[in-house]
Amino acid sequence: MPTSSSCVSAGRWRKPFFTIWLGQSFSLFGSMIVQFALIWWLTNTTGSARVLATASIVGLVPTIIFSPFAGALVDRWERRKVLIFADGAIAATTLSLAVLSLAGVMQPWQVYLALFLRSFFGAFHWPAMQASIPLMVPHVHLARIKGMDNALYGILRIVAPPIGALLLVWLPLPGVLMVDVVTAIIAISAVLLGRVPQPTREDAVSHVTARLMWADLRSGINYLFKSKGLTIIVMMGALVNVLVVPIFTLLPIWVTRFYNGGPFELGWIESATGLGIIAGGVLLTVWGGFKKRIYTSLYGLLGLALACILTGVVTAEQFTLAMFSVGAMGMMLTLVQGPMLAVVQDVVPPELQGRVLTILDSATSAASPIGLIIAGFLGDARTPQIWFLVAGVGFALLLLIASLSGHVRNVEDELPKA
């Protein structure tokens, strides 16, 4: 079983890895700009909340349905080619929208289709990149790399929307969409310059059939459920999503109804969340977490529960305290999710990671619609504040269950290291 690439074992992993990582960071930035621009176009064109909800669901469907199959294929295909193809296909989809917009014939259904295709190709890109990281990075640094990823996401969460807004003022929509094409070219160039290790498989074949893909998917599911610790982590990830999605969905309603705020106050709350995510990412990058990574996630779950309860009890006169509490939620959520993913990357063999990671992603994404339904109900019932308390108690219960489970506490020792 392969354990690492030659770059990792020789200690020369930083340059090849960060070449690719920086390229992908540019691509993520371009994608967030385009996402903002398309959502704004839908809002400005239709003024319909249902249209925006539909856009969100359309973007989730490929992740929920196709991710496990994509993961099975990624485990057999050359990951370097998958990254190049996925980045190129996403850019081509955006370019098609730019052409339609330039011609003045772009319609909402075309945007839905583009969001669906971008998510579909992303279902191949994400596992190809995440499953390659343990082969490019020494395992001792996996939590730090996840911290960097989360810090980058937090920074882009803050800067991408205002930059997208400025670009929409300075450029027509087709010009803004072309940003994604340019950043995709940068990402593809970085992959061509870098090195993406490929795990060896004893059952490698030249042609992947549907029967073989199903067999690979079953083997990934069997491996996942062979470990009770990993099984519980998947369930925890899904439940965390159910509790988290309403929190961030309800933030605008919470600000306007509870604090009688406007765009300015919502901007401060969103910025506080982004800063919290950055703080959590920086902490993980510098510290790396506990030696047993799962303990970092468990302590993060405790902090998340406390931050949610604090948010649920702040008064309408304590807006500054509310900013602090939502910032703490962003930070603690990073400490929960980053090490948890690093655990999976550490214990799952490289040739199985595409399947296992996408099954995990699909399961947690499938829980998001449940959270969206809850958020809609609470928003209509005008009681968004109570959800912070409900979520806090829910996180505390998850922490109690996980802490009492020896399988979760010892998941890193339960299976041989990748």
Side-chain angles (χ1 to χ4, degrees), residues 174-192:
V176 178
L177 296 179
M178 288 302 294
V179 171
D180 190 45
V181 178
V182 173
T183 55
I185 292 172
I186 294 173
I188 292 171
S189 300
V191 173
L192 291 172

Side-chain angles (χ1 to χ4, degrees), residues 13-354:
W13 63 274
R14 289 180 176 82
K15 183 177 179 180
F17 171 73
F18 283 109
T19 297
I20 295 173
W21 187 84
L22 286 172
Q24 296 301 317
S25 299
F26 276 105
S27 182
L28 176 61
F29 175 66
S31 294
M32 293 180 76
I33 292 287
V34 165
Q35 190 79 7
F36 176 85
L38 292 178
I39 293 300
W40 175 253
W41 183 86
L42 287 172
T43 302
N44 198 40
T45 303
T46 68
S48 169
R50 284 180 297 178
V51 166
L52 296 181
T54 302
S56 298
I57 293 172
V58 164
L60 281 173
V61 168
T63 301
I64 297 171
I65 297 178
F66 299 115
S67 279
F69 302 101
L73 292 171
V74 163
D75 280 338
R76 287 194 174 272
W77 290 345
E78 186 177 341
R79 290 171 182 172
R80 179 171 176 267
K81 292 181 179 178
V82 173
L83 290 172
I84 293 172
F85 171 77
D87 274 326
I90 292 171
T93 302
T94 306
L95 180 61
S96 300
L97 274 185
V99 172
L100 291 171
S101 178
L102 189 62
V105 295
M106 192 167 79
Q107 301 293 324
W109 72 266
Q110 295 164 339
V111 175
Y112 293 157
L113 178 60
L115 292 172
F116 180 90
L117 290 175
R118 286 170 60 86
S119 180
F120 175 78
F121 294 124
F124 288 87
H125 184 282
W126 185 80
M129 184 63 195
Q130 294 301 318
S132 298
I133 290 175
L135 293 175
M136 293 189 284
V137 176
H139 284 209
V140 69
H141 294 305
L142 287 177
R144 287 189 171 91
I145 295 302
K146 288 312 302 173
M148 290 178 55
D149 285 342
N150 287 320
L152 173 70
Y153 175 77
I155 292 169
L156 294 183
R157 181 187 173 98
I158 293 173
V159 304
I163 291 177
L166 285 174
L167 289 175
L168 285 170
V169 172
W170 294 337
L171 298 172
L173 181 61
V176 178
L177 296 179
M178 288 302 294
V179 171
D180 190 45
V181 178
V182 173
T183 55
I185 292 172
I186 294 173
I188 292 171
S189 300
V191 173
L192 291 172
L193 290 171
R195 180 176 181 271
V196 182
Q198 187 71 15
T200 56
R201 290 188 59 152
E202 296 178 358
D203 60 344
V205 296
S206 58
H207 180 65
V208 181
T209 63
R211 184 174 183 178
L212 185 59
M213 184 174 66
W214 275 105
D216 282 350
L217 182 58
R218 284 197 303 271
S219 67
I221 294 173
N222 291 337
Y223 180 89
L224 187 64
F225 287 99
K226 180 174 70 174
S227 165
K228 291 183 179 179
L230 283 179
T231 302
I232 296 172
I233 284 176
V234 172
M235 296 171 63
M236 285 177 60
L239 291 172
V240 166
N241 239 24
V242 170
L243 296 171
V244 163
V245 167
I247 288 175
F248 294 105
T249 303
L250 290 169
L251 282 181
I253 296 175
W254 179 57
V255 169
T256 54
R257 292 181 181 171
F258 192 68
Y259 290 103
N260 294 317
F264 181 77
E265 287 77 13
L266 178 59
W268 278 110
I269 289 291
E270 293 284 0
S271 294
T273 306
L275 287 171
I277 294 172
I278 294 171
V282 170
L283 179 60
L284 273 181
T285 303
V286 174
W287 169 40
F290 293 105
K291 185 175 181 180
K292 275 196 172 184
R293 298 183 181 93
I294 195 64
Y295 284 0
T296 309
S297 291
L298 294 180
Y299 278 108
L301 203 55
L302 172 61
L304 186 57
L306 294 175
C308 285
I309 292 172
L310 175 61
T311 308
V313 299
V314 295
T315 68
E317 292 75 33
Q318 296 174 313
F319 185 75
T320 302
L321 182 58
M323 288 174 53
F324 169 80
S325 64
V326 296
M329 282 194 292
M331 178 179 178
M332 294 302 166
L333 187 60
T334 299
L335 295 181
V336 171
Q337 294 177 334
M340 199 174 287
L341 182 57
V343 166
V344 177
Q345 290 176 321
D346 193 26
V347 302
V348 178
E351 67 273 17
L352 278 167
Q353 286 208 10

